[in-house]
Amino acid sequence: MTSHDAEQGGNRGATVTAVPNRSGSDTEAAREWSVYRQEDDYDRRMPYDPSAFPPFAVTVDLVVLTVRRHALCALAVRRGEPPFQGRWALPGGFVRADEDLAQAAARELAEETGLRAHDPSTPAQDNGAHLEQLATYGDPKRDPRMRVVSVAHLALAPDLPAPRAGGDASNARWAPVEELLQQGGYGRDGEPVAPLAFDHAQILADGVERARSKIEYSSLATAFCPTEFTVGELRRVYEAVWGVALDPRNFHRKVTGTPGFLVPTGGTTTRQGGRPAQLFRAGGATLLNPPMLRPEV
C-alpha cells in the first residue's frame, strides 16, 4: 500500500492510506486506488476502546520570571518529596479533572506566588501577571513515576516579594536564571550542586529564550514594570533580560518612536534619584516598529 499526504483526501491531519478498489478486476485494482480516511471509522460508528491506549497524566509547569536587583530571576522550589527529593525545580502541579490548561496554570500561579493571571479583556494594566503557554514536553521518561506530559507556561511580573513554599515544596526562592542554568547544576548555602529536577532546565531555558526574543518586537518587557514606569526603568528591564548594557539615548528614541507604544501619564518621579523623570504606561500599540534587535554578546 502507498501512503499519501493527508491533504490529498481533503482532511488535513487525517491518516490517509491508498487501498485497492475491489469493485473491478485485479488489473483494474492495480491501477485504481481509493482513499481510506481515519474519519471513516467514526462515520461507521466503529467501537472505541479506551483501554487500548495507556493512561498518562498532564501537568502544568511554570517559568515565573521577574527582575530583582537588576537581574532576571526565576521562581525555584525545592522538592520535599520524591521523585528528585531535595532537588530544585520549577513550580507546577497536576491538572485537575475539572479544569482546562489555562485554569490549571492560573491556579498554580496563584498558589505559588499569590498572583492573578492577567485578563486580556480587562483594559486596566494592573490586573495581574502576564501568563502565556510556552511549550509541551512529553518525553516518556521525563517523570519516573509514570507517563506525564507537561504543558509549560511562561509568567512575567514586576519585582515580587520573597515567595513562600507550598504543596510538596520544602523551600522556595527567586534565583538568577544564569545560576539555575549553569552547566553543573544549582545549589545554595552549602547544598550539593545538582541539575534541576525532571527536564526543568530545558523548560526554563526555553522560557528565558521566549522572553528574550519577544521583547525585541513586542511590549512584553512592560510586564516586568509597575503600572507607571520611566523609560530608564524599562531600559533596565531590557538590560536584565538580555544581560547587556544599552545606550540610554538610543533606547529612549526607539521605545518612544513607535506611536502608542508608551503613553505619558503626565506625572514624574524621582525614585531613581537625580532629576524628575517622566512617567509612562504601556499603550495600545503592542509591536515595536522597527524592532529593537538584541545585541550580540
Side-chain angles (χ1 to χ4, degrees):
M1 292 188 291
T2 304
S3 295
H4 295 277
D5 183 80
E7 293 183 31
Q8 184 173 342
N11 293 276
R12 187 180 297 273
T15 300
V16 180
T17 306
V19 297
N21 187 338
R22 300 302 182 187
S23 60
S25 64
D26 291 341
T27 302
E28 293 173 339
R31 296 176 180 175
E32 298 179 9
W33 299 84
S34 62
V35 174
Y36 164 75
R37 301 175 303 166
Q38 188 176 28
E39 285 81 353
D40 290 341
D41 286 347
Y42 301 103
D43 295 341
R44 296 174 184 146
R45 304 183 185 278
M46 295 183 67
Y48 168 70
D49 181 9
S51 65
F53 302 94
F56 65 90
V58 179
T59 61
V60 289
D61 287 310
L62 299 177
V63 179
V64 186
L65 301 179
T66 193
V67 175
R68 291 171 61 86
R69 301 181 182 90
H70 306 300
L72 181 64
C73 296
L75 180 60
V77 297
R78 192 177 184 190
R79 291 187 58 79
E81 301 176 0
F84 304 108
Q85 185 173 6
R87 297 260 289 271
W88 290 89
L90 297 175
F94 287 91
V95 178
R96 296 173 180 172
D98 61 345
E99 61 186 1
D100 61 25
L101 295 173
Q103 291 170 334
R107 173 180 55 77
E108 287 291 340
L109 180 66
E111 292 175 356
E112 298 288 353
T113 68
L115 290 170
R116 293 178 296 113
H118 168 71
D119 182 0
S121 64
T122 304
Q125 297 296 314
D126 191 22
N127 71 331
H130 173 88
L131 182 65
E132 66 178 64
Q133 194 173 120
L134 175 63
T136 303
Y137 301 83
D139 188 305
K141 298 181 180 180
R142 64 178 303 274
D143 191 316
R145 294 169 292 186
M146 64 176 296
R147 180 73 188 272
V148 177
V149 173
S150 179
V151 183
H153 288 70
L154 175 65
L156 309 177
D159 188 15
L160 298 172
R164 292 178 297 177
D168 62 355
S170 62
N171 196 2
R173 73 180 302 255
W174 293 108
V177 296
E178 298 300 334
E179 294 182 13
L180 290 171
L181 294 175
Q182 59 190 358
Q183 187 172 4
Y186 177 73
R188 63 184 295 262
D189 300 335
E191 299 172 352
V193 175
L196 297 183
F198 306 101
D199 52 359
H200 288 186
Q202 182 62 58
I203 297 176
L204 175 59
D206 292 345
V208 170
E209 179 56 31
R210 168 76 67 85
R212 286 173 173 168
S213 62
K214 285 192 72 172
I215 66 174
E216 290 184 341
Y217 60 88
S218 77
S219 59
L220 188 66
T222 61
F224 289 105
C225 297
T227 306
E228 296 183 353
F229 51 88
T230 67
V231 171
E233 290 170 337
L234 181 61
R235 187 187 77 250
R236 282 183 277 276
V237 166
Y238 274 82
E239 291 176 336
V241 174
W242 284 346
V244 298
L246 300 174
D247 180 76
R249 289 182 178 272
N250 287 337
F251 181 85
H252 190 286
R253 175 173 50 81
K254 289 183 177 180
V255 296
T256 58
T258 298
F261 189 75
L262 298 182
V263 178
T265 65
T268 60
T269 181
T270 57
R271 60 184 174 225
Q272 297 299 316
R275 295 180 301 176
Q278 188 176 10
L279 286 169
F280 294 84
R281 60 176 174 82
T286 58
L287 297 178
L288 267 174
N289 186 21
M292 180 159 32
L293 300 181
R294 186 188 339 176
E296 296 183 4
V297 293

